[in-house]
Amino acid sequence: MAAIARLLYSSYSSASTFFHNDSYSISSQTFSRPLNSKTRASSLKFQPNDQGFWLAKDRDNLDIEKMETGEKIQEIHCTSEYDKGLQLSQEKLVIAHFSARHYKYNLIIKRFMEERCKISSEVNFLHVMANDSEKIRQLCRRENIEKIPYFVFYKKMENIHEEEGFQPEKLVSNILYYGHDAFSPVVQLQSGEDLEKLIKVHKIDHKLIVVNVGMRQCIPCVKIYPSVLKLASQMADRVVFARMNADENDSCMKMLREIDVSRVPAFLFLKNGELCGRYIGSCASSLIREIMKLRADQTITALQRKHSIL
């Protein structure tokens, strides 16, 4: 890992860097996390019930039938079921959805969860009706749930993200960012050694490597990731996209510090084992522009090399 850090840092001085103001600073001492994303709940009035839990005061009082329990969408009735649901999911992304029986958007959220389960086998949902029983209210108090709808994201039983309110597009972005798809066109890097192996492989085919560096609780990182996935699919024959979270582990943290990555989201561009540029920010059009510029330079260099051989 030290070798790859020295290599990248040695080429850093000649590499161009493009900054966009939509990014997070990273402390020189530690990779600090910004506050959790808190999207405002829908414009409903909330009032405390006798047990102290905040329930939606909904004029329509629309009832929906009870959601069926399934392997991927499990209805929770007590704390032990909740904990067991997290344990059994193992490596999968788990999203706990807290709502109330008479919340008028329950049916829409249910359909959203069903659709996500059809698309991905790597996400499970725990569905909690917060006003069903005292056991459920105990769970809500333990998890500090005070408003609905509320979504809590877990990976390996660890709370990695929370989202207040229901915004489908934002939830999809969060699922893509925090989940893991074995068929993803973006290579997942868990260490500096993983990056070193990737560079060695593509020294042979001379493909441009784009490494997306982010953090778990970084809102701009979540925002741009769907665009990264789309670009990775569209440019698979020309560009290799990879992803590394700065706060994944000590190995990632150490390597990124050594190559002076201080803001996220960051995109590192590598050609033939050398760092040739970086983009800081979450503007998809700016990212595409930087990639196309480097691709054009790469084409010119290849033509010059061919001409010199002739």
Side-chain angles (χ1 to χ4, degrees), residues 247-291:
D247 50 357
E248 182 72 31
N249 53 50
D250 291 341
S251 174
C252 294
M253 190 179 296
K254 182 179 179 181
M255 192 208 73
L256 292 169
R257 282 177 179 158
E258 288 175 347
I259 62 174
D260 198 28
V261 174
S262 59
R263 299 178 69 86
V264 291
F267 293 86
L268 309 178
F269 306 114
L270 300 103
K271 287 192 300 186
N272 300 320
E274 294 186 355
L275 182 64
C276 56
R278 57 176 76 189
Y279 165 66
I280 312 295
S282 61
C283 176
S285 59
S286 295
L287 173 61
I288 293 170
R289 186 162 53 248
E290 291 299 302
I291 293 173

Side-chain angles (χ1 to χ4, degrees), residues 21-280:
N21 60 7
D22 190 9
S23 61
Y24 277 116
S25 294
I26 300 175
S27 165
S28 59
Q29 299 298 320
T30 182
F31 285 88
S32 57
R33 296 183 184 178
L35 295 175
N36 286 356
S37 169
K38 297 285 186 179
T39 306
R40 291 181 63 85
S42 56
S43 55
L44 299 172
K45 296 180 180 179
F46 289 84
Q47 61 181 13
N49 66 3
D50 294 338
Q51 289 76 24
F53 185 80
W54 289 74
L55 300 179
K57 184 179 180 182
D58 179 356
R59 295 188 186 93
D60 296 334
N61 286 329
L62 179 64
D63 287 311
I64 65 167
E65 61 178 330
K66 191 174 184 179
M67 181 178 291
E68 295 180 359
T69 299
E71 291 183 1
K72 294 184 179 180
I73 304 178
Q74 180 183 357
E75 187 164 349
I76 301 299
H77 304 93
C78 61
T79 300
S80 60
E81 286 185 2
Y82 189 85
D83 293 341
K84 187 176 181 180
L86 295 178
Q87 291 171 356
L88 293 178
S89 295
Q90 300 177 345
E91 299 287 328
K92 293 184 178 181
L93 176 67
V94 181
I95 303 173
H97 164 233
F98 291 84
S99 189
R101 189 63 63 182
H102 296 293
Y103 182 58
K104 66 180 179 180
Y105 297 114
N106 276 336
L107 187 58
I108 296 174
I109 295 175
K110 174 186 175 181
R111 288 171 179 166
F112 171 86
M113 292 190 295
E114 290 173 342
E115 186 63 28
R116 297 318 304 176
C117 288
K118 291 177 183 177
I119 294 172
S120 174
S121 61
E122 297 301 316
V123 58
N124 289 350
F125 287 90
L126 304 181
H127 187 61
V128 184
M129 286 299 182
N131 58 339
D132 267 10
S133 68
E134 178 56 31
K135 289 182 178 181
I136 288 294
R137 286 188 282 271
Q138 288 176 3
L139 169 62
C140 293
R141 287 193 289 269
R142 189 191 76 172
E143 300 298 316
N144 296 317
I145 306 299
E146 297 180 343
K147 293 184 178 181
I148 54 97
Y150 203 84
F151 299 85
V152 185
F153 289 63
Y154 293 91
K155 204 72 179 286
K156 298 179 181 178
M157 296 188 67
E158 178 188 355
N159 181 333
I160 58 173
H161 180 69
E162 297 181 15
E163 195 76 37
E164 181 182 306
F166 177 60
Q167 294 187 22
E169 289 186 7
K170 195 167 186 180
L171 280 172
V172 168
S173 295
N174 286 324
I175 291 170
L176 291 173
Y177 187 75
Y178 294 109
H180 173 67
D181 185 353
F183 301 100
S184 172
V186 177
V187 180
Q188 305 295 317
L189 303 176
Q190 305 292 328
S191 65
E193 287 79 5
D194 287 348
L195 177 57
E196 187 172 3
K197 291 176 183 176
L198 185 69
I199 290 173
K200 286 181 178 178
V201 168
H202 293 289
K203 271 188 176 180
I204 299 172
D205 58 21
H206 305 291
K207 284 186 178 181
L208 175 67
I209 299 174
V210 180
V211 181
N212 175 202
V213 181
M215 294 177 69
R216 285 184 180 178
Q217 302 290 349
C218 169
I219 298 172
C221 298
V222 176
K223 171 187 170 185
I224 197 171
Y225 193 64
S227 297
V228 173
L229 287 170
K230 187 174 182 180
L231 289 172
S233 296
Q234 294 175 341
M235 300 182 173
D237 59 332
R238 294 159 288 165
V239 181
V240 177
F241 283 80
R243 173 189 174 190
M244 176 183 287
N245 274 348
D247 50 357
E248 182 72 31
N249 53 50
D250 291 341
S251 174
C252 294
M253 190 179 296
K254 182 179 179 181
M255 192 208 73
L256 292 169
R257 282 177 179 158
E258 288 175 347
I259 62 174
D260 198 28
V261 174
S262 59
R263 299 178 69 86
V264 291
F267 293 86
L268 309 178
F269 306 114
L270 300 103
K271 287 192 300 186
N272 300 320
E274 294 186 355
L275 182 64
C276 56
R278 57 176 76 189
Y279 165 66
I280 312 295

